[in-house]
Amino acid sequence: MRNFKLFVEQQNAFTVGLFPGAFKPPHKGHFATAKKMASENRAAVILISGETRDTVSAAQAEKVWEIYSKYLPFNVFVFLISGSPVTAIYQIVNILNNGKFVSTSEKSLAPLPETLEIAENLSQNTGPYKISVVYRDWE
């Protein structure tokens, strides 16, 4: 019976898509991916790296996403991350799984402020959570 309960919980899970990247600049492929992610999840979170790459700043990338967001579903949320977007994903999952940030080792980084904000907003929805991470296949 326990396996059936787990199956039911997973089917009723609050689904979250996480899309980390530099997005320097955001392009139509990123837009299409965000749109698909939004259609497959109850919340779609885009995590923009705070670094400048190829003369495109994080602020410029964020402005492009603001324009894109007018054409994306309401469940897409864009955050500029001061550290690594991949680190932010680990921290978000950690907080959602544990109800708070739990250090996994002595070398664990303190949670990024943006991570805490994202996890706090997501945790207002009833768990369990089913999280998918969107990434680009570089092959």
Side-chain angles (χ1 to χ4, degrees):
M1 194 56 96
R2 182 176 170 100
N3 289 339
F4 179 73
K5 182 178 184 249
L6 179 62
F7 174 77
V8 170
E9 285 178 353
Q10 287 176 341
Q11 299 311 306
N12 295 322
F14 184 85
T15 58
V16 179
L18 300 173
F19 188 13
F23 306 111
K24 308 298 188 310
H27 52 68
K28 66 182 181 179
H30 294 136
F31 176 83
T33 301
K35 192 172 180 180
K36 183 172 190 235
M37 181 178 64
S39 71
E40 295 174 352
N41 295 281
R42 295 200 35 212
V45 180
I46 298 167
L47 307 162
I48 304 171
S49 166
E51 68 183 31
T52 296
R53 183 185 290 176
D54 298 330
T55 71
V56 179
S57 71
Q60 291 169 317
E62 189 176 35
K63 284 183 181 182
V64 173
W65 277 111
E66 285 175 19
I67 295 167
Y68 283 171
S69 68
K70 295 175 186 173
Y71 305 97
L72 289 168
F74 70 95
N75 63 334
V76 176
F77 305 94
V78 179
F79 290 91
L80 184 59
I81 302 297
S82 58
S84 162
V86 174
T87 298
I89 286 175
Y90 282 106
Q91 292 178 350
I92 291 166
V93 171
N94 179 319
I95 294 166
L96 291 177
N97 279 339
N98 298 302
K100 63 178 183 175
F101 182 76
V102 175
S103 180
T104 55
S105 75
E106 291 179 12
K107 295 181 181 180
S108 290
L109 300 172
L112 301 168
E114 303 88 357
T115 298
L116 295 172
E117 179 185 352
I118 295 165
E120 180 181 323
N121 285 306
L122 290 173
S123 67
Q124 292 175 13
N125 301 285
T126 305
Y129 303 96
K130 185 175 179 182
I131 299 171
S132 62
V133 177
V134 178
Y135 63 94
R136 180 174 175 191
D137 185 359
W138 291 98
E139 293 182 14

